[in-house]
Short mmCIF file of all heavy atoms in Angstrom, two decimals:
data_model
loop_
_atom_site.label_atom_id
_atom_site.label_comp_id
_atom_site.label_asym_id
_atom_site.label_seq_id
_atom_site.Cartn_x
_atom_site.Cartn_y
_atom_site.Cartn_z
N ILE B 834 -8.18 47.46 12.42
CA ILE B 834 -9.43 47.53 11.68
C ILE B 834 -10.05 48.89 11.95
O ILE B 834 -10.44 49.19 13.07
CB ILE B 834 -10.39 46.40 12.10
CG1 ILE B 834 -9.71 45.06 11.81
CG2 ILE B 834 -11.72 46.49 11.38
CD1 ILE B 834 -9.94 44.03 12.85
N VAL B 835 -10.06 49.71 10.91
CA VAL B 835 -10.56 51.07 11.08
C VAL B 835 -12.06 51.06 10.79
O VAL B 835 -12.48 50.70 9.69
CB VAL B 835 -9.83 52.05 10.14
CG1 VAL B 835 -10.29 53.48 10.39
CG2 VAL B 835 -8.32 51.94 10.33
N THR B 836 -12.86 51.37 11.80
CA THR B 836 -14.32 51.31 11.67
C THR B 836 -14.95 52.31 12.61
O THR B 836 -14.34 52.70 13.61
CB THR B 836 -14.85 49.90 12.00
OG1 THR B 836 -16.27 49.92 11.98
CG2 THR B 836 -14.40 49.43 13.37
N SER B 837 -16.18 52.70 12.29
CA SER B 837 -16.88 53.59 13.21
C SER B 837 -17.93 52.82 14.02
O SER B 837 -18.56 53.36 14.90
CB SER B 837 -17.54 54.73 12.44
OG SER B 837 -18.24 54.20 11.33
N ALA B 838 -18.08 51.51 13.71
CA ALA B 838 -19.08 50.70 14.41
C ALA B 838 -18.45 50.02 15.63
O ALA B 838 -17.24 49.82 15.68
CB ALA B 838 -19.65 49.65 13.48
N LEU B 839 -19.27 49.65 16.60
CA LEU B 839 -18.79 48.99 17.80
C LEU B 839 -18.27 47.59 17.45
O LEU B 839 -17.23 47.15 17.92
CB LEU B 839 -19.93 48.88 18.82
CG LEU B 839 -19.57 48.35 20.21
CD1 LEU B 839 -18.57 49.27 20.90
CD2 LEU B 839 -20.82 48.21 21.08
N ASP B 840 -19.01 46.89 16.61
CA ASP B 840 -18.67 45.53 16.21
C ASP B 840 -18.11 45.61 14.79
O ASP B 840 -18.81 45.97 13.86
CB ASP B 840 -19.94 44.68 16.24
CG ASP B 840 -19.68 43.23 15.92
OD1 ASP B 840 -18.71 42.94 15.21
OD2 ASP B 840 -20.47 42.40 16.39
N PHE B 841 -16.82 45.27 14.62
CA PHE B 841 -16.18 45.54 13.33
C PHE B 841 -16.68 44.63 12.21
O PHE B 841 -16.58 44.97 11.05
CB PHE B 841 -14.65 45.49 13.45
CG PHE B 841 -14.04 44.11 13.54
CD1 PHE B 841 -14.04 43.25 12.45
CD2 PHE B 841 -13.43 43.68 14.71
CE1 PHE B 841 -13.45 42.00 12.53
CE2 PHE B 841 -12.84 42.43 14.80
CZ PHE B 841 -12.86 41.59 13.70
N ARG B 842 -17.22 43.44 12.56
CA ARG B 842 -17.54 42.49 11.50
C ARG B 842 -18.63 43.06 10.59
O ARG B 842 -19.63 43.57 11.04
CB ARG B 842 -17.96 41.15 12.08
CG ARG B 842 -16.80 40.48 12.81
CD ARG B 842 -17.29 39.51 13.81
NE ARG B 842 -18.32 40.13 14.63
CZ ARG B 842 -19.09 39.47 15.44
NH1 ARG B 842 -18.98 38.18 15.53
NH2 ARG B 842 -19.99 40.11 16.16
N GLN B 843 -18.41 42.94 9.28
CA GLN B 843 -19.28 43.54 8.26
C GLN B 843 -19.23 45.07 8.25
O GLN B 843 -19.86 45.70 7.43
CB GLN B 843 -20.75 43.09 8.40
CG GLN B 843 -21.06 41.82 7.62
CD GLN B 843 -20.84 40.60 8.47
OE1 GLN B 843 -21.42 40.47 9.53
NE2 GLN B 843 -20.00 39.69 8.00
N ASN B 844 -18.47 45.67 9.18
CA ASN B 844 -18.43 47.13 9.24
C ASN B 844 -17.03 47.69 9.00
O ASN B 844 -16.80 48.87 9.19
CB ASN B 844 -18.88 47.62 10.62
CG ASN B 844 -20.36 47.34 10.84
OD1 ASN B 844 -21.18 47.70 10.03
ND2 ASN B 844 -20.66 46.69 11.93
N GLU B 845 -16.08 46.80 8.61
CA GLU B 845 -14.72 47.32 8.50
C GLU B 845 -14.65 48.29 7.33
O GLU B 845 -15.17 48.05 6.26
CB GLU B 845 -13.67 46.22 8.40
CG GLU B 845 -13.82 45.25 7.26
CD GLU B 845 -14.48 43.95 7.70
OE1 GLU B 845 -15.35 44.01 8.60
OE2 GLU B 845 -14.14 42.92 7.13
N GLU B 846 -14.03 49.42 7.60
CA GLU B 846 -13.87 50.42 6.56
C GLU B 846 -12.51 50.30 5.91
O GLU B 846 -12.34 50.53 4.73
CB GLU B 846 -14.09 51.82 7.14
CG GLU B 846 -15.58 52.12 7.29
CD GLU B 846 -15.91 53.05 8.44
OE1 GLU B 846 -15.06 53.84 8.84
OE2 GLU B 846 -17.05 52.95 8.94
N ARG B 847 -11.51 49.94 6.71
CA ARG B 847 -10.15 49.86 6.20
C ARG B 847 -9.32 48.93 7.09
O ARG B 847 -9.53 48.88 8.29
CB ARG B 847 -9.54 51.27 6.22
CG ARG B 847 -8.37 51.48 5.32
CD ARG B 847 -8.28 52.97 4.89
NE ARG B 847 -8.73 53.91 5.90
CZ ARG B 847 -7.93 54.45 6.83
NH1 ARG B 847 -6.66 54.13 6.92
NH2 ARG B 847 -8.43 55.32 7.70
N LEU B 848 -8.40 48.19 6.47
CA LEU B 848 -7.48 47.35 7.23
C LEU B 848 -6.08 47.88 7.03
O LEU B 848 -5.64 48.08 5.90
CB LEU B 848 -7.54 45.90 6.71
CG LEU B 848 -8.87 45.18 6.88
CD1 LEU B 848 -8.89 43.89 6.07
CD2 LEU B 848 -9.10 44.86 8.35
N GLU B 849 -5.38 48.15 8.15
CA GLU B 849 -4.02 48.66 8.05
C GLU B 849 -3.06 47.73 8.75
O GLU B 849 -3.21 47.48 9.95
CB GLU B 849 -3.91 50.00 8.81
CG GLU B 849 -4.62 51.16 8.20
CD GLU B 849 -4.56 52.39 9.11
OE1 GLU B 849 -3.99 52.32 10.22
OE2 GLU B 849 -5.10 53.42 8.68
N PRO B 850 -2.06 47.20 8.02
CA PRO B 850 -1.04 46.40 8.71
C PRO B 850 -0.29 47.28 9.70
O PRO B 850 -0.01 48.45 9.39
CB PRO B 850 -0.10 45.96 7.58
CG PRO B 850 -0.70 46.41 6.31
CD PRO B 850 -1.80 47.36 6.58
N ILE B 851 -0.03 46.76 10.87
CA ILE B 851 0.69 47.55 11.89
C ILE B 851 1.81 46.71 12.51
O ILE B 851 1.82 45.48 12.40
CB ILE B 851 -0.25 48.01 13.04
CG1 ILE B 851 -0.98 46.81 13.66
CG2 ILE B 851 -1.24 49.06 12.55
CD1 ILE B 851 -1.61 47.12 15.00
N GLU B 852 2.72 47.40 13.16
CA GLU B 852 3.78 46.76 13.94
C GLU B 852 3.31 46.77 15.39
O GLU B 852 2.98 47.84 15.91
CB GLU B 852 5.07 47.56 13.77
CG GLU B 852 6.31 46.94 14.36
CD GLU B 852 6.89 45.86 13.46
OE1 GLU B 852 6.73 45.95 12.22
OE2 GLU B 852 7.50 44.94 14.00
N LEU B 853 3.26 45.61 16.05
CA LEU B 853 2.82 45.59 17.45
C LEU B 853 3.97 45.99 18.37
O LEU B 853 5.12 45.60 18.12
CB LEU B 853 2.37 44.18 17.84
CG LEU B 853 1.06 43.65 17.28
CD1 LEU B 853 0.84 42.23 17.79
CD2 LEU B 853 -0.11 44.54 17.67
N PRO B 854 3.68 46.70 19.45
CA PRO B 854 4.71 46.91 20.47
C PRO B 854 5.19 45.53 20.96
O PRO B 854 4.36 44.61 21.08
CB PRO B 854 3.97 47.65 21.58
CG PRO B 854 2.73 48.21 20.95
CD PRO B 854 2.39 47.32 19.79
N PRO B 855 6.49 45.37 21.25
CA PRO B 855 7.04 44.05 21.61
C PRO B 855 6.30 43.37 22.76
O PRO B 855 6.09 42.16 22.74
CB PRO B 855 8.49 44.36 22.00
CG PRO B 855 8.81 45.66 21.35
CD PRO B 855 7.52 46.42 21.19
N ASP B 856 5.87 44.15 23.76
CA ASP B 856 5.19 43.51 24.91
C ASP B 856 3.83 42.96 24.50
O ASP B 856 3.41 41.90 24.97
CB ASP B 856 5.07 44.50 26.09
CG ASP B 856 4.30 45.75 25.72
OD1 ASP B 856 4.49 46.26 24.59
OD2 ASP B 856 3.49 46.23 26.54
N VAL B 857 3.15 43.64 23.59
CA VAL B 857 1.85 43.15 23.12
C VAL B 857 2.05 41.88 22.28
O VAL B 857 1.33 40.88 22.44
CB VAL B 857 1.10 44.23 22.30
CG1 VAL B 857 -0.20 43.67 21.73
CG2 VAL B 857 0.83 45.46 23.15
N ALA B 858 3.05 41.91 21.40
CA ALA B 858 3.36 40.74 20.57
C ALA B 858 3.66 39.53 21.46
O ALA B 858 3.17 38.42 21.23
CB ALA B 858 4.53 41.04 19.65
N GLN B 859 4.47 39.77 22.50
CA GLN B 859 4.81 38.69 23.43
C GLN B 859 3.57 38.13 24.11
O GLN B 859 3.44 36.91 24.29
CB GLN B 859 5.72 39.25 24.52
CG GLN B 859 7.16 38.79 24.43
CD GLN B 859 8.04 39.58 25.38
OE1 GLN B 859 7.61 39.97 26.48
NE2 GLN B 859 9.26 39.85 24.95
N ASN B 860 2.67 39.02 24.51
CA ASN B 860 1.42 38.58 25.15
C ASN B 860 0.58 37.73 24.20
O ASN B 860 -0.08 36.78 24.63
CB ASN B 860 0.61 39.78 25.62
CG ASN B 860 1.07 40.30 26.97
OD1 ASN B 860 1.87 39.65 27.65
ND2 ASN B 860 0.57 41.46 27.36
N CYS B 861 0.57 38.08 22.92
CA CYS B 861 -0.21 37.31 21.94
C CYS B 861 0.34 35.90 21.80
O CYS B 861 -0.41 34.92 21.75
CB CYS B 861 -0.21 38.02 20.58
SG CYS B 861 -1.12 39.58 20.61
N VAL B 862 1.67 35.80 21.75
CA VAL B 862 2.30 34.48 21.66
C VAL B 862 2.00 33.67 22.93
O VAL B 862 1.66 32.48 22.87
CB VAL B 862 3.83 34.63 21.45
CG1 VAL B 862 4.54 33.29 21.57
CG2 VAL B 862 4.10 35.27 20.08
N LYS B 863 2.08 34.35 24.06
CA LYS B 863 1.81 33.69 25.34
C LYS B 863 0.35 33.19 25.41
O LYS B 863 0.08 32.07 25.87
CB LYS B 863 2.09 34.66 26.49
CG LYS B 863 1.84 34.07 27.87
CD LYS B 863 2.30 35.02 28.96
CE LYS B 863 1.84 34.53 30.33
NZ LYS B 863 2.21 35.48 31.40
#
Side-chain angles (χ1 to χ4, degrees):
I834 300 140
V835 184
T836 175
S837 47
L839 187 62
D840 183 333
F841 76 70
R842 294 157 311 168
Q843 271 91 56
N844 292 307
E845 58 261 34
E846 280 150 25
R847 200 152 34 89
L848 296 168
E849 290 174 358
I851 55 164
E852 188 79 30
L853 288 179
D856 59 320
V857 176
Q859 251 170 35
N860 277 350
C861 292
V862 171
K863 180 173 171 183

